[in-house]
Amino acid sequence: MKIEQLNKVSLSYDATSKIRTLKMRTGLTPNILCRFGIMLSLNEDGAPIVDEYDNDGMEFNRYTLFGGYEAMIIALIRERCNSDGLDVEEELAEQLRGHMNRGTALLYMRVRNILDLGNLVASSQ
């Protein structure tokens, strides 16, 4: 699916469960947690394997997910697709979904409270 056709993005059932727990741990909304997760995933080696993730979880519309950061996030995923040797136009939407799901798992492992999230941000600078 091409990014222009993407109106909604779904997390997997497992990632949705992790997002709910992270929301309780941090008080942050799921869309903001997903943005953090995407950034964590983009920092990992290799492209996420999108077939590992179902579409049975929480669903976001584009504006809610990205807010005012859509152009930046899409540009970062586009660049990552290029780096991973993927067809940007054909793979971008699926890679977005993959990075959301993989990033949620990474965030879940690293964040127990809002202070952990602050330390994670500070360590990435």
Side-chain angles (χ1 to χ4, degrees), residues 23-117:
K23 183 178 188 266
M24 287 187 295
R25 289 178 183 172
T26 65
L28 296 174
T29 59
N31 58 321
I32 292 172
L33 291 165
C34 283
R35 291 177 204 166
F36 276 108
I38 290 168
M39 296 303 121
L40 277 177
S41 180
L42 287 170
N43 200 38
E44 292 291 304
D45 291 334
I49 302 168
V50 295
D51 293 339
E52 291 180 354
Y53 308 110
D54 60 56
N55 287 315
D56 297 335
M58 190 178 290
E59 188 175 74
F60 299 90
N61 69 43
R62 279 174 76 155
Y63 183 75
T64 300
L65 178 60
F66 299 127
Y69 302 101
E70 180 174 1
M72 180 193 68
I73 293 170
I74 296 299
L76 290 169
I77 294 173
R78 196 177 287 278
E79 178 61 31
R80 181 58 190 267
C81 285
N82 280 326
S83 297
D84 290 336
L86 300 171
D87 181 333
V88 175
E89 295 308 314
E90 294 300 320
E91 299 288 335
L92 188 66
E94 284 299 303
Q95 285 298 303
L96 166 62
R97 195 173 68 79
H99 283 292
M100 278 179 55
N101 281 284
R102 179 170 77 178
T104 297
L106 293 167
L107 197 62
Y108 182 80
M109 291 186 296
R110 296 177 185 174
V111 174
R112 296 287 172 228
N113 57 52
I114 194 73
L115 295 175
D116 288 343
L117 193 58

Side-chain angles (χ1 to χ4, degrees), residues 1 4 6 11 17 25 56 61 68 78 83 107 120 124:
M1 173 185 293
E4 296 81 21
L6 183 70
L11 281 174
S17 177
R25 289 178 183 172
D56 297 335
N61 69 43
R78 196 177 287 278
S83 297
L107 197 62
L120 188 62
S124 68

